[in-house]
Amino acid sequence: MENCILVFVEQRSGQIKKASLEALSQGKRIADQLNIELVAALIGENVGDKISELPKYGTKKVLLSESPAWKYYSPDGFARCIVGMAVEIKPSIILFPGTAMGRDLSPRVAASLKTGLASDCTDLSIEESRIQATRPMYSGKLYGKVSIPDAKPSIFTLRPNVFPVLDPIDGLSAEVIYFPPPSSIEELKARVIAIIAGESAKLDITEASIIVAGGRGMKGPEGFNILQELADVLGGSIGASRAAVDAGWIDHQHQVGQTGKVISPSLYIACGISGAIQHLAGMSSSKYIVAINKDQEAPIFKAADYGIVGDLFEVVPRLTEEIRKLKAE
């Protein structure tokens, strides 16, 4: 199985993440161009029933490690598992979704395999039979092309919401190869024994196609109520700038930017956000950006496709109402 592409398929609570399907789809495109095999790696507890979803996106082999030891994500354990898979099948490329788990896991795997890693890739292409990755640099001020020429496997993490998911093809199957977990969970350097859930978001902002975000201009936590109404009407999620998070108005899981989450939604509506470079680094790859701010000199307008100069507390409710009317027609 040498010279295949191995894709780590992330699942949470038994549900495969959309970012993993994006990584599988891109892996399939590259595998077809290189005429090599696509292989999926699935790790978890009681996740065997999810295997049938993976052949729909092009994989013909699934490496499965299923155990109660994998009830919760274990950085050390998952890394050992993937390294063991890589040593066994010798892939030329390993792809990870650029989620929090993927960004944590991929450098551990790269260090263990003594190979190179290109993170947060927004494009993968083949030039002279070599993978070229496009990734943002200097807080998104420019994009560079990088390759990992002298090491195998080459490892890449893919930014969520950038790579389109292939249309699933039903009726396909895959060969399942089982990989055992460590003989004792006590071997792991660290292990999760419980998860205490905080505020739950309807949809993680890294996966949302529509995000309504608020900044210092929201004036307080209650201001986010009108953003939530707009997000609900649009079927989106709530985001925030660092200023709003640092003020304690909203939980850190909603933060967009260099010190928060990097997102690529189809629509990003920035309300009361000035547009500091650190914030732009997290959302500049959005397909469409709408800015609502009473300061017409705010930097966010330079990045916006559409801008509204006005009081967000007047503009947002009226926008919400008009969208409700359109949807009711």
Side-chain angles (χ1 to χ4, degrees):
M1 208 187 299
E2 292 187 15
N3 292 323
C4 61
I5 297 178
L6 178 64
V7 179
F8 170 67
V9 177
E10 177 183 341
Q11 58 80 30
R12 296 274 189 172
S13 302
Q15 298 299 315
I16 293 175
K17 304 285 281 186
K18 176 175 173 284
S20 295
L21 300 182
E22 295 171 5
L24 267 179
S25 298
Q26 186 62 19
K28 172 61 174 173
R29 296 184 189 99
I30 297 296
D32 286 348
Q33 292 181 64
L34 294 176
N35 195 29
I36 58 178
E37 197 167 25
L38 178 66
V39 183
L42 182 62
I43 304 172
E45 179 187 36
N46 299 324
V47 293
D49 60 335
K50 299 300 176 183
I51 290 176
S52 60
E53 297 181 31
L54 306 182
K56 298 177 182 179
Y57 301 94
T59 182
K60 295 182 179 179
K61 285 188 173 66
V62 178
L63 310 183
L64 175 65
S65 184
E66 192 175 31
S67 168
W70 306 143
K71 180 178 181 180
Y72 301 120
Y73 168 58
S74 164
D76 180 34
F78 277 42
R80 289 193 192 188
C81 200
I82 295 173
V83 168
M85 293 174 177
V87 169
E88 180 72 21
I89 70 170
K90 296 179 174 58
S92 54
I93 300 166
I94 303 179
L95 302 180
F96 289 86
T99 58
M101 185 187 295
R103 293 195 306 271
D104 181 64
L105 190 55
S106 53
R108 299 172 187 271
V109 174
S112 296
L113 293 175
K114 295 181 173 57
T115 189
L117 165 66
S119 61
D120 197 28
C121 300
T122 56
D123 187 41
L124 292 181
S125 60
I126 300 173
E127 298 180 16
E128 299 179 354
S129 300
R130 181 182 297 169
I131 294 289
Q132 296 280 352
T134 301
R135 59 182 306 276
M137 300 177 177
Y138 302 107
S139 301
K141 292 180 181 177
L142 58 84
Y143 284 77
K145 278 193 172 183
V146 299
S147 63
I148 308 172
D150 300 320
K152 282 191 177 183
S154 303
I155 301 181
F156 305 90
T157 67
L158 308 185
R159 180 179 289 192
N161 275 341
V162 171
F163 298 89
V165 177
L166 293 172
D167 293 331
I169 301 176
D170 294 324
L172 301 178
S173 60
E175 176 188 355
V176 181
I177 302 173
Y178 293 92
F179 276 78
S183 57
S184 172
I185 195 170
E186 302 299 332
E187 294 179 6
L188 304 180
K189 296 177 182 177
R191 57 193 177 97
V192 178
I193 58 174
I195 293 178
I196 301 173
E199 174 196 356
S200 61
K202 293 182 179 179
L203 179 64
D204 190 285
I205 60 174
T206 59
E207 297 188 348
S209 60
I210 298 175
I211 295 174
V212 182
R216 197 187 303 275
M218 302 313 301
K219 298 182 179 179
E222 62 282 348
F224 280 87
N225 293 334
I226 63 171
L227 300 192
Q228 186 64 66
E229 291 179 13
L230 177 57
D232 289 343
V233 169
L234 293 171
S237 293
I238 291 291
S241 69
R242 177 172 178 172
V245 172
D246 286 350
W249 298 345
I250 192 168
D251 191 80
H252 181 269
Q253 66 173 314
H254 297 278
Q255 184 177 327
V256 175
Q258 195 170 30
T259 55
K261 295 181 179 179
V262 176
I263 57 172
S264 297
S266 297
L267 174 63
Y268 186 79
I269 303 177
C271 305
I273 295 175
S274 63
I277 186 64
Q278 292 85 356
H279 185 78
L280 296 177
M283 44 66 72
S284 59
S285 60
S286 303
K287 187 172 183 180
Y288 295 105
I289 299 172
V290 177
I292 303 173
N293 201 301
K294 63 182 180 181
D295 178 9
Q296 63 181 359
E297 302 298 327
I300 190 70
F301 286 119
K302 295 180 181 179
D305 298 286
Y306 303 95
I308 301 174
V309 179
D311 186 342
L312 69 90
F313 293 99
E314 296 178 3
V315 174
V316 173
R318 290 180 62 180
L319 182 60
T320 302
E321 187 58 33
E322 290 301 318
I323 294 173
R324 283 200 182 104
K325 290 178 182 178
L326 287 173
K327 295 184 75 172
E329 292 178 358

